[in-house]
């Protein structure tokens, strides 16, 4: 089952209510004074620690399977890998990449974040927190960061990679030097990594995509990959240190200071829309992993076969974005995005042992899981029908990354909603972890408050905002990027006459009915009474498409369909009928345009029943009027369409259009 096919079945339940930016958010922050006292206590405790562990101890690692020892037969002595892990937390990277113990206010945020025990009062007080501070975004002139709780950007040191393990930083530097990169020390990259390392929920929906020529920004991808590796390695550090203490001192594991694990091993989940993007991300993750930890990369051939393509396998991550598209009538961004493996049902586990990266590891024993939302939804449904199966590997996710959220929204965002809803639940089966080592907030069913969610995309929409506002309840708070847009009207042919008609909406619940009523009473009579053909009605959502189709049937209208589920033979027939004037009206959906980017011939009059989510589609659709007699376009919108409208006409103009008394522009 493909994601597009499945989306149709889920469509009614996938509709989510749009949310304004100032909607109440589940969030709470510990008081600043308490946080400082905790940091001071951690610093005093760390200064009392011994610099080195004993040279010989029995290796005991509940966090690794027995198969982790395949590369070493000796289990009686401390390995170089274990020694390296055992010291990394005490010497994180500080200013200018140098280990700096005085910077421990930031360096211990991993421990502070996971060791804080929420009280019932703190949980109850999370309701009602709002975005209350803002800071200009460095490197993005028309954007600003807004956040809840304490302003973490106000005194952020842009010259440091706070909390990054030295061996990760050094390897990152080496990779950039080898590849000739110059952006590693850019302030924008450092700030984003620092945001990640502070464990706030992040919504960054101005991320430049690789498929738009001249806009690629790999620094954000590198930053979240390094943050993921940092979190996984620090988790392993913590477990190994406590294993050593228990083995050395013979202390009881019942002490709270040894509670360092979750129910299951996976700690990072990365959601991506297509296999070709998985290929880019996983290859980059392998490249950014220090050499000592990737002496062997298991099942690489299988990975290349499943996720790569004949062209992609011959290119590295950075070369693939510069690949010249073949000559075609499709736009260049379409060729790059869909030029590789377009599979949307995939899932791969990644496990780190002492010297090996294991691809396609069992999900329950993986460190990182990379998957599509569709694949996880299928796993969830299987577990619901078969008691022998489970999705307990989702129970202990501490970092959730959703990259290319705008592309996923074109597939079916409801799948993401379902996945997030199933994260951090109590496992259905007895976990294999020693219960005395499980962090107390896991046992108290509060794990969702300790999950960091990072959402990245080219733009945001009400569904993405709704998930971020209501499904992400990190106790540390939220940070969100807000941007002003210039619009894309300059890309529309100047001869095209655009008429924007605003209809009234009383509430979000009534929005769909209000749009339909306006079309039936105000717009359709003009079509019905006109002898003109070549009328295209552009519709954004599938539910709207079905509703208008049924209405036109009831009116015995002459029309044809071009939707995402229309067969190729029906598409060819519909395009010919419309171009030859055998059908007066064509219904065309945004998702159909997203997956095919057709250039429809014969368009004489365009009606945008709903504005497109993707701003680049607006000039493409309107410019189909080129050569028509009337060159006229009618666009319907309401005050709830502000996000879409501002990307098309510009932020300032959109504000006037949704608030002014005048309703026609």
């Amino acid at each position: 089952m493909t994601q597009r096919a499945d989306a149709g079945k889920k469509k009614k339940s996938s509709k989510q209510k749009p949310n304004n930016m100032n909607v109440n958010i589940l969030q709470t922050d510990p008081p600043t004074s308490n946080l400082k006292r905790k940091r001071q206590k951690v610093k005093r405790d760390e200064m009392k620690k011994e610099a080195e562990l004993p040279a010989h101890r029995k290796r005991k690692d509940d966090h690794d399977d027995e198969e982790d020892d395949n590369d070493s037969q000796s289990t009686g002595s401390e390995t170089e890998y274990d020694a390296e892990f055992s010291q990394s937390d005490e010497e994180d990277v500080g200013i200018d990449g140098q280990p700096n113990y005085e910077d421990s206010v930031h360096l211990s945020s991993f421990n502070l974040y996971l060791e804080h025990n929420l009280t019932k009062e703190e949980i109850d007080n999370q309701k009602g927190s709002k975005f209350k501070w803002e800071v200009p975004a460095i490197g993005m002139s028309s954007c600003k960061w807004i956040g809840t709780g304490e302003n973490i950007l106000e005194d952020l040191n842009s010259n440091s990679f706070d909390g990054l393990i030295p061996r990760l930083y050094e390897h990152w530097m080496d990779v950039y030097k080898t590849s000739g990169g110059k952006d590693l020390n850019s302030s924008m990259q450092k700030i984003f990594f620092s945001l990640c390392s502070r464990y706030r929920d992040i919504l960054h929906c101005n991320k430049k995509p690789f498929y738009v020529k001249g806009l690629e920004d790999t620094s954000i991808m590198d930053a979240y990959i390094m943050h993921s590796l940092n979190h996984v390695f620090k988790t392993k550090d913590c477990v190994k240190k406590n294993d050593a203490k228990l083995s050395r001192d013979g202390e009881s594991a019942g002490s709270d200071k040894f509670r360092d694990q979750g129910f299951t091993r996976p700690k990072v989940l990365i959601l991506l829309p297509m296999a070709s993007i998985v290929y880019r991300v996983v290859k980059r993750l392998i490249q950014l992993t220090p050499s000592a930890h990737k002496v062997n990369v298991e099942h690489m051939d299988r990975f290349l076969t499943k996720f790569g393509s004949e062209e992609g396998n011959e290119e590295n991550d950075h070369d693939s974005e510069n690949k010249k598209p073949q000559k075609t009538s499709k736009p260049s961004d379409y060729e790059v995005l869909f030029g590789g493996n377009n599979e949307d049902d995939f899932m791969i586990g990644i496990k780190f042992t002492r010297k090996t990266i294991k691809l396609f590891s069992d999900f329950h024993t993986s460190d990182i899981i990379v998957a599509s939302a569709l694949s996880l939804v299928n796993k969830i449904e299987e577990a619901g029908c078969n008691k022998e199966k489970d999705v307990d590997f989702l129970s202990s996710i501490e970092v959730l990354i959703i990259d290319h959220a705008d592309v996923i929204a074109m597939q079916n965002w409801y799948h993401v909603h379902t996945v997030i809803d199933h994260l951090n639940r109590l496992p259905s089966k007895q976990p294999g972890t020693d219960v005395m080592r499980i962090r107390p907030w896991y046992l108290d069913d509060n794990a969702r408050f300790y999950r960091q969610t990072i959402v990245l995309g080219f733009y945001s929409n009400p569904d993405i905002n709704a998930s971020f506002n209501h499904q992400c309840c990190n106790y540390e708070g939220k940070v969100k990027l807000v941007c002003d847009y210039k619009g894309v009207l300059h890309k529309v042919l100047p001869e095209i006459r655009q008429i924007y008609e605003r209809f009234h909406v009383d509430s979000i619940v009534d929005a769909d009915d209000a749009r339909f009523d306006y079309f039936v009473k105000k717009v359709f009579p003009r079509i019905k009474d006109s002898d003109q053909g070549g009328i295209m009605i552009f519709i954004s959502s599938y539910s709207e498409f079905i509703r208008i189709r049924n209405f036109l049937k009831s009116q015995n209208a002459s029309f044809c369909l071009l939707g995402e589920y229309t067969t190729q033979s029906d598409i060819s027939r519909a395009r010919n009928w419309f171009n030859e004037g055998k059908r007066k009206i064509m219904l065309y959906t945004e998702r159909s345009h997203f997956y095919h980017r057709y250039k429809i011939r014969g368009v004489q009059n365009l009606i945008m029943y709903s504005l497109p989510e993707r701003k680049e589609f607006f000039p493409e659709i309107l410019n189909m009027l080129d050569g028509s007699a009337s060159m006229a376009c009618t666009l319907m919108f309401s005050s709830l369409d502000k996000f879409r409208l501002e990307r098309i006409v510009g932020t300032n103009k959109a504000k006037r259009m949704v608030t002014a008394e005048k309703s026609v522009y």
Side-chain angles (χ1 to χ4, degrees):
M1 178 176 62
T2 66
Q3 187 154 349
R4 279 174 280 172
D6 186 59
K9 299 177 183 178
K10 301 270 186 179
K11 196 64 185 181
K12 288 187 178 179
S13 58
S14 67
K15 288 171 60 179
Q16 302 181 41
K17 299 177 181 179
N19 286 267
N20 292 329
M21 184 180 304
N22 291 326
V23 69
N24 289 348
I25 300 171
L26 293 174
Q27 185 277 330
T28 221
D29 292 281
T32 304
S33 57
N34 292 339
L35 188 59
K36 288 183 178 179
R37 284 197 294 269
K38 287 181 63 182
R39 286 170 173 163
Q40 292 169 357
K41 182 179 183 301
V42 169
K43 182 175 179 179
R44 289 195 301 268
D45 292 343
E46 287 183 346
M47 293 181 67
K48 295 178 182 178
K49 293 180 180 178
E50 295 181 358
E52 297 180 357
L53 292 174
H56 297 280
R57 65 175 173 83
K58 183 173 180 62
R59 183 178 186 274
K60 179 179 179 294
D61 187 3
D62 292 334
H63 208 59
D64 285 343
D65 296 337
E66 293 180 1
E67 62 182 10
D68 292 1
D69 294 323
N70 291 341
D71 59 344
S72 174
Q73 298 300 322
S74 173
T75 58
S77 63
E78 183 184 38
T79 65
E80 180 181 351
Y81 177 87
D82 291 335
E84 189 175 17
F85 265 117
S86 68
Q87 298 177 19
S88 63
D89 274 350
E90 298 181 56
E91 292 185 350
D92 289 341
V93 174
I95 297 175
D96 296 326
Q98 300 299 318
N100 185 352
Y101 195 83
E102 291 301 318
D103 200 28
S104 61
V105 168
H106 303 313
L107 306 184
S108 50
S109 45
F110 170 85
N111 293 323
L112 292 173
Y113 177 66
L114 296 179
E115 291 175 4
H116 177 70
N117 291 321
L118 285 173
T119 64
K120 185 179 184 301
E121 182 180 3
E122 286 178 311
I123 294 174
D124 292 339
N125 289 339
Q126 289 191 49
K127 301 177 181 179
S129 286
K130 297 181 179 181
F131 293 103
K132 62 183 183 181
W133 57 263
E134 61 181 54
V135 174
I138 295 178
M140 294 175 279
S141 58
S142 59
C143 300
K144 61 184 177 182
W145 292 103
I146 63 174
T148 64
E150 180 185 358
N151 186 346
I152 60 174
L153 290 176
E154 191 172 24
D155 57 351
L156 186 68
N157 187 344
S158 62
N159 293 318
S160 65
F161 284 95
D162 294 332
L164 183 58
I165 296 174
R167 64 183 181 276
L168 288 176
Y169 175 82
E170 291 166 4
H171 181 71
W172 198 2
M173 286 287 292
D174 291 341
V175 168
Y176 267 79
K177 289 177 182 178
T178 303
S179 61
K182 300 179 181 179
D183 295 328
L184 178 58
N185 292 312
S186 68
S187 296
M188 184 164 47
Q189 187 175 40
K190 288 180 178 179
I191 287 177
F192 186 74
F193 178 83
S194 295
L195 278 177
C196 294
S197 67
R198 299 298 183 86
Y199 287 95
R200 297 286 180 103
D201 287 338
I202 302 171
L203 177 59
H204 183 324
C205 280
N206 194 36
K207 176 175 174 282
K208 299 175 182 178
F210 70 92
Y211 50 85
V212 177
K213 186 177 180 180
L215 289 183
E216 169 66 307
D217 183 3
T218 58
S219 63
I220 300 300
M221 181 177 74
D222 282 1
Y224 78 65
I225 288 175
M226 293 306 295
H227 176 59
S228 300
L229 291 173
N230 202 45
H231 187 84
V232 168
F233 284 8
K234 283 195 171 188
T235 299
K236 294 171 73 68
D237 288 351
C238 185
V239 172
K240 289 178 182 294
K241 284 182 180 181
N242 287 335
D243 285 347
K245 290 179 182 178
L246 289 169
S247 177
R248 177 188 64 193
D249 302 332
E251 295 187 50
S252 171
S255 174
D256 284 346
K257 65 182 179 181
F258 295 116
R259 294 185 179 271
D260 52 15
Q261 301 178 35
F263 294 114
T264 55
R265 177 166 175 162
K267 291 294 178 285
V268 178
L269 173 62
I270 302 177
L271 296 183
L272 299 171
M274 297 178 183
S276 59
I277 299 178
V278 176
Y279 180 81
R280 291 170 50 83
V281 171
V282 174
K283 284 202 70 179
R284 188 61 174 167
L285 182 146
I286 294 172
Q287 189 178 11
L288 292 175
T289 300
S291 301
H293 306 307
K294 59 178 179 182
V295 175
N296 299 309
V297 180
E298 295 185 1
H299 307 300
M300 191 64 187
D301 290 343
R302 179 183 170 189
F303 172 77
L304 295 177
T305 300
K306 181 174 178 61
F307 292 97
S309 62
E310 292 182 1
E311 295 179 353
N313 291 343
E314 297 172 358
E315 300 170 343
N316 60 38
D317 294 333
H318 290 286
D319 290 341
S320 62
E321 73 217 21
N322 298 320
K323 179 180 64 177
K324 293 182 180 180
Q326 298 178 354
K327 291 185 178 180
T328 175
S329 60
K330 307 291 186 182
S332 60
D333 64 294
Y334 175 89
E335 290 297 326
V336 175
L337 179 59
F338 290 97
N341 187 338
N342 299 328
E343 176 62 45
D344 57 8
D345 187 357
F346 54 81
M347 191 169 172
I348 179 173
I350 303 173
K351 180 177 182 177
F352 295 90
T353 63
R354 285 175 295 175
K355 297 180 181 179
T356 302
I357 299 176
K358 298 186 177 184
L359 304 179
F360 298 97
S361 55
D362 180 84
F363 301 130
H364 292 77
T365 59
S366 298
D367 293 301
I368 297 175
I369 295 174
V370 182
S372 67
L374 170 64
S375 181
L376 286 173
V377 167
N378 290 338
K379 293 284 185 184
I380 292 169
E381 291 177 350
E382 289 176 8
C385 299
N386 186 347
K387 293 183 179 180
E388 297 297 321
K389 297 184 178 181
D390 65 79
V391 288
D392 291 347
F393 52 82
L394 298 177
S395 65
S396 303
I397 297 297
E398 294 172 355
V399 178
L400 168 64
I401 299 169
I402 306 172
D403 198 3
H404 297 281
D406 54 301
V407 178
I408 298 176
M410 282 286 105
Q411 295 172 331
N412 190 348
W413 187 260
Y414 185 70
H415 290 329
V416 177
H417 179 92
T418 302
V419 170
I420 297 177
D421 190 53
H422 282 78
L423 294 179
N424 305 119
R425 293 187 177 186
L426 294 174
S428 60
K429 297 180 180 179
Q430 183 69 26
T433 307
D434 181 359
V435 69
M436 303 306 294
R437 298 286 295 274
I438 297 176
R439 296 185 186 275
W441 41 266
Y442 275 112
L443 301 174
D444 294 337
D445 195 20
N446 287 331
R448 65 190 181 279
F449 300 115
Y450 292 81
R451 183 191 72 241
Q452 179 189 32
T453 303
I454 302 172
V455 184
L456 307 165
F458 195 22
Y459 64 84
S460 184
N461 68 11
D463 288 339
I464 295 173
N465 276 322
S467 292
F468 186 73
N469 289 339
H470 300 299
Q471 291 187 290
C472 304
C473 44
N474 185 343
Y475 82 86
E476 277 288 355
K478 289 180 168 67
V479 177
K480 178 178 180 179
L481 188 69
V482 178
C483 299
D484 289 340
Y485 295 90
K486 297 180 180 179
V488 293
L489 294 181
H490 62 283
K491 296 183 179 181
V492 179
L493 294 174
E495 298 84 3
I496 297 176
R497 185 165 54 95
Q498 305 171 43
I499 302 174
Y500 295 81
E501 299 184 12
R502 190 183 72 217
F503 57 92
H504 178 71
V505 176
D506 291 321
S507 67
I508 296 175
V509 177
D510 300 328
D512 290 341
D513 289 337
R515 187 183 302 274
F516 179 73
D517 289 343
Y518 187 87
F519 174 80
V520 171
K521 297 176 181 178
K522 301 292 185 180
V523 179
F524 182 71
R526 307 174 205 162
I527 300 174
K528 187 176 182 181
D529 298 337
S530 173
D531 295 330
Q532 182 189 41
I535 301 171
M536 175 189 284
I537 302 177
F538 178 86
I539 302 174
S540 179
S541 77
Y542 187 72
S543 59
E544 293 172 340
F545 172 78
I546 296 299
R547 191 171 193 178
I548 295 298
R549 181 201 64 182
N550 293 341
F551 171 73
L552 293 179
K553 282 184 178 180
S554 69
Q555 300 297 310
N556 295 319
S558 171
F559 70 98
C560 57
L561 306 174
L562 211 166
E564 53 261 40
Y565 305 115
T566 309
T567 64
Q568 190 59 48
S569 59
D570 288 342
I571 288 174
S572 299
R573 188 180 304 112
R575 294 179 68 181
N576 287 332
W577 284 345
F578 185 72
N579 186 39
E580 296 170 1
K582 295 180 180 179
R583 293 293 185 273
K584 182 178 179 179
I585 302 170
M586 171 182 279
L587 300 187
Y588 188 37
T589 67
E590 181 173 11
R591 289 183 68 210
S592 181
H593 191 68
F594 174 75
Y595 283 109
H596 303 289
R597 300 293 272 274
Y598 294 123
K599 187 173 181 180
I600 309 300
R601 298 190 303 271
V603 180
Q604 300 295 323
N605 189 8
L606 175 64
I607 297 171
M608 280 200 166
Y609 182 84
S610 46
L611 300 174
E613 287 277 13
R614 304 187 71 86
K615 63 181 181 180
E616 65 269 24
F617 289 178
F618 185 81
E620 288 181 16
I621 299 299
L622 262 66
N623 289 341
M624 291 181 187
L625 286 165
D626 186 20
S628 68
S630 62
M631 299 281 278
C633 174
T634 300
L635 305 100
M636 297 168 49
F637 74 99
S638 73
S639 58
L640 299 179
D641 293 322
K642 179 180 176 295
F643 285 118
R644 302 187 188 197
L645 188 63
E646 69 174 353
R647 291 194 289 268
I648 293 171
V649 304
T651 300
N652 293 332
K653 189 172 183 179
K655 289 179 180 178
R656 294 194 299 269
M657 292 173 67
V658 299
T659 57
E661 294 184 5
K662 182 181 177 182
S663 62
V664 179
Y665 299 88

